[in-house]
Amino acid sequence: MDRLIYVAMTGAKQSMQRQATVSSNLANAATPGFRADLDAFRAVPVLGEGAQTRAFVVAQTTGADLSPGVIQSTGRDMDAAINGDGWFTVQTGSGEAYTRNGGFEIDASGLLKTRSGLVVMGENGPITVPDNTRISFGSDGTISGTPLDNPSATTDLGRLKLVNPAGTDLYKGMDGLFRMRDGSTAQPDDNVEVASDALENSNVNTVDELVNMIGSQRHYDMQVQLIQTADTNARSVASVIQFTS
């Protein structure tokens, strides 16, 4: 009975984790640039005295689906999307991080930031936009500023730091941002292209995620039923022992 309960318990635990991942993906189905989380599990034998008859289900290397989302035109000057492979660079409290969400804002001090308040990095550091200036993004990431009171006086405000490290070199943090696994910073890549006045949609497939949610719930219910069956069998054995004694 012990073996059955142990195996079923670990399976139920990982089914709950998978449900949490699917729920997070569904909650971010409308988040620009979001990359769906992936889960993988494997069985690991429990080592100890006696025969190795029990296995523990553990999470394998988790990651994210890096396939691109659909680029949708917004008509908003402050929006930009990566056309193809690549990432925008932002500054966090722990260093540089990378995102595909190009919905930008300008704060009161003129700094270009994400809508969540992170500073957007250029190749030469943070990008500052003068007051009363309209900006536009070039396909190579250059940012041009046009004074609202003098439309003919366009100036170069800098260039976005666009990077394109290998997917295996990146990991996704709890904040949804990507970072280099070795703690380094990625170098700018001139081949990354930017689409202006547009945002990239999340790459979450809601239909697939709903199917995964149903499958996870069924797996969880099955594991719980196994635990209940083991409990019923144990009670039956105890009754037989008590009766024969």
Side-chain angles (χ1 to χ4, degrees), residues 93-177:
S94 59
E96 284 191 357
Y98 310 104
T99 180
R100 297 275 295 195
N101 188 347
F104 302 136
E105 302 282 357
I106 301 174
D107 70 2
S109 62
L111 281 176
L112 186 65
K113 292 185 175 183
T114 65
R115 291 178 180 174
S116 59
L118 298 175
V119 175
V120 179
M121 297 299 293
E123 292 185 344
N124 298 315
I127 297 170
T128 302
V129 180
D131 290 338
N132 299 319
T133 300
R134 178 181 179 180
I135 68 171
S136 60
F137 298 96
S139 60
D140 61 351
T142 56
I143 302 176
S144 301
T146 303
L148 297 179
D149 56 357
N150 189 6
S152 62
T154 300
T155 59
D156 186 1
L157 302 179
R159 184 179 182 184
L160 294 169
K161 182 178 179 182
L162 305 172
V163 301
N164 188 23
T168 53
D169 294 337
L170 296 171
Y171 75 93
K172 185 178 181 181
M174 296 298 293
D175 54 5
L177 301 174

Side-chain angles (χ1 to χ4, degrees), residues 2-211:
D2 172 68
R3 293 191 294 270
L4 177 57
I5 292 176
Y6 194 83
V7 172
M9 178 271 294
T10 58
K13 177 183 176 181
Q14 299 305 334
S15 293
M16 291 178 63
Q17 178 177 330
R18 188 185 183 200
Q19 280 188 318
T21 300
V22 173
S23 297
S24 175
N25 288 341
L26 288 173
N28 287 280
T31 301
F34 181 80
R35 290 292 176 266
D37 293 313
L38 302 174
D39 273 333
F41 305 99
R42 61 191 177 96
V44 177
V46 178
L47 303 179
E49 296 182 358
Q52 297 180 10
T53 57
R54 284 169 285 187
F56 192 84
V57 180
V58 298
Q60 206 169 2
T61 303
T62 56
D65 181 3
L66 300 181
S67 60
V70 176
I71 295 179
Q72 182 175 3
S73 177
T74 63
R76 181 174 178 268
D77 298 333
M78 301 293 294
D79 290 340
I82 300 292
N83 189 9
D85 296 330
W87 304 85
F88 298 111
T89 305
V90 296
Q91 185 68 34
T92 69
S94 59
E96 284 191 357
Y98 310 104
T99 180
R100 297 275 295 195
N101 188 347
F104 302 136
E105 302 282 357
I106 301 174
D107 70 2
S109 62
L111 281 176
L112 186 65
K113 292 185 175 183
T114 65
R115 291 178 180 174
S116 59
L118 298 175
V119 175
V120 179
M121 297 299 293
E123 292 185 344
N124 298 315
I127 297 170
T128 302
V129 180
D131 290 338
N132 299 319
T133 300
R134 178 181 179 180
I135 68 171
S136 60
F137 298 96
S139 60
D140 61 351
T142 56
I143 302 176
S144 301
T146 303
L148 297 179
D149 56 357
N150 189 6
S152 62
T154 300
T155 59
D156 186 1
L157 302 179
R159 184 179 182 184
L160 294 169
K161 182 178 179 182
L162 305 172
V163 301
N164 188 23
T168 53
D169 294 337
L170 296 171
Y171 75 93
K172 185 178 181 181
M174 296 298 293
D175 54 5
L177 301 174
F178 287 79
R179 295 172 176 83
M180 299 292 287
R181 292 187 183 276
D182 59 5
S184 64
T185 57
Q187 297 302 309
D189 190 330
D190 294 336
N191 295 319
V192 178
E193 295 184 1
V194 173
S196 60
D197 305 340
L199 287 175
E200 180 185 6
N201 293 332
S202 168
N203 70 347
V204 173
N205 186 317
T206 54
V207 175
D208 287 345
E209 294 300 330
L210 287 172
V211 172

